[in-house]
Amino acid sequence: VTNMSKIFSGCCNLEHLNVSSFNTKNVNNMNKMFCGCSCLYKLNLSCFNTKNVIDMGDMFFGCKNLVKLNISSFKTENIMNMSEMFSGCSSLRNIDISSFDTKNVINMSYMFSGCENLEKLHLSSFNTKKVKNMSYMFNGCNNLNQLNLSSFDTQNVINMNGMFSGCENLIKINLTSFDTKNVTDMGGMFSDCKKLEVLDLTSFNTKKVRNVKGIFYDCKNKTTNYCLCLFKKFNRNELILEEFKLDYF
């Protein structure tokens, strides 16, 4: 077997699943494998050999009742697509992805979108040098209060639209390492981040940005507003200056 795409997709009444006998050493596609398994609450994939897999997009999409997920053995060095991988896993409080090797991933859009109960994410091991799309990556992660993305290499990212939108309890984001020289879309990037206290964007290069609509919508914290003023001072992109004229603060 080389393709396990959609094998359990849409099994919305499935509560238990034992895949311990699966031989996955030749599998290269796991896209949407458990997509829509909305009643599944526990999944142990520690037996999976994923060294040849290149696509894990939507793999656990919509597994809204999943509270325990063991993917600690995953080998991800060949993965190119992680888009929406955990999107809609609204009951997960923790995901152990510390062993992930993401050096070949191109698409991380919506990767953790809708993970509203996620309490922490350790992404220090992530290699994002090849990633081009990070749109809505953390969208709706309501329970996260801080994110350290200081290890992120974003030199090839083009799309950051809605990247942190709806992270209502996020207090601190470390983006000091971000290289945004190739980003064209920052629309809604921090929208509804109502509690942000630390947001230093003075290093952002916005020369290629063409969409900033709602980039700071509903960012009401006063400390954040001071940082945004610094951002305005150091970024002369006319679209951003125009955005600052709107009453978002």
Side-chain angles (χ1 to χ4, degrees):
V1 177
T2 59
N3 190 350
M4 285 190 171
S5 172
K6 301 180 182 179
I7 190 169
F8 300 107
S9 181
C11 295
C12 56
N13 292 314
L14 192 64
E15 295 181 6
H16 308 279
L17 185 60
N18 186 345
V19 291
S20 58
S21 63
F22 273 35
N23 183 343
T24 61
K25 67 179 181 180
N26 293 315
V27 176
N28 55 45
N29 189 354
M30 290 186 173
N31 186 288
K32 294 184 173 69
M33 190 170 180
F34 304 99
C35 177
C37 293
S38 53
C39 287
L40 203 61
Y41 70 92
K42 183 170 65 172
L43 193 56
N44 185 353
L45 304 181
S46 59
C47 64
F48 271 30
N49 183 336
T50 61
K51 67 179 181 180
N52 290 311
V53 180
I54 59 172
D55 191 347
M56 285 187 175
D58 298 276
M59 190 172 180
F60 306 103
F61 179 91
C63 293
K64 62 182 182 180
N65 283 311
L66 199 61
V67 294
K68 191 172 183 180
L69 178 63
N70 187 343
I71 51 175
S72 56
S73 65
F74 271 30
K75 304 296 182 186
T76 60
E77 60 265 28
N78 291 310
I79 306 291
M80 298 176 71
N81 181 21
M82 286 186 172
S83 173
E84 300 190 81
M85 187 173 179
F86 305 102
S87 182
C89 292
S90 53
S91 297
L92 278 179
R93 294 187 179 275
N94 183 42
I95 309 174
D96 183 4
I97 47 178
S98 57
S99 64
F100 272 30
D101 182 345
T102 59
K103 64 186 176 187
N104 285 307
V105 178
I106 295 172
N107 191 350
M108 287 186 174
S109 64
Y110 293 87
M111 188 172 179
F112 305 102
S113 178
C115 292
E116 57 189 45
N117 279 304
L118 206 57
E119 295 174 346
K120 55 185 176 180
L121 267 177
H122 296 295
L123 304 176
S124 56
S125 64
F126 267 36
N127 182 337
T128 60
K129 190 173 183 178
K130 291 187 178 180
V131 179
K132 293 184 177 181
N133 191 349
M134 287 185 174
S135 62
Y136 295 94
M137 187 173 178
F138 305 101
N139 167 61
C141 290
N142 299 339
N143 228 16
L144 285 179
N145 57 38
Q146 61 178 310
L147 266 175
N148 185 352
L149 306 181
S150 58
S151 63
F152 271 34
D153 183 339
T154 60
Q155 62 180 298
N156 288 308
V157 178
I158 296 170
N159 192 350
M160 289 185 175
N161 188 295
M163 189 172 179
F164 306 101
S165 61
C167 292
E168 296 180 355
N169 287 300
L170 205 55
I171 296 170
K172 181 180 180 180
I173 318 176
N174 187 343
L175 305 179
T176 53
S177 68
F178 269 36
D179 181 345
T180 60
K181 65 177 180 286
N182 287 310
V183 179
T184 61
D185 194 344
M186 288 185 178
M189 189 172 178
F190 304 99
S191 64
D192 293 309
C193 290
K194 299 177 181 180
K195 294 185 179 180
L196 265 181
E197 294 178 2
V198 181
L199 183 63
D200 183 356
L201 306 178
T202 53
S203 63
F204 269 33
N205 180 335
T206 60
K207 287 183 180 179
K208 290 187 178 180
V209 176
R210 294 294 173 264
N211 178 29
V212 291
K213 185 175 177 61
I215 184 173
F216 303 118
Y217 182 80
D218 217 9
C219 290
K220 295 182 178 295
N221 189 285
K222 291 181 179 179
T223 308
T224 302
N225 290 346
Y226 172 70
C227 293
L228 300 187
C229 288
L230 289 177
F231 179 57
K232 176 182 176 182
K233 179 180 178 181
F234 289 100
N235 287 272
R236 306 310 297 176
N237 183 309
E238 291 301 317
L239 290 172
I240 290 176
L241 294 177
E242 191 66 29
E243 191 71 6
F244 270 91
K245 294 179 183 178
L246 301 176
D247 185 21
Y248 282 165
F249 313 114

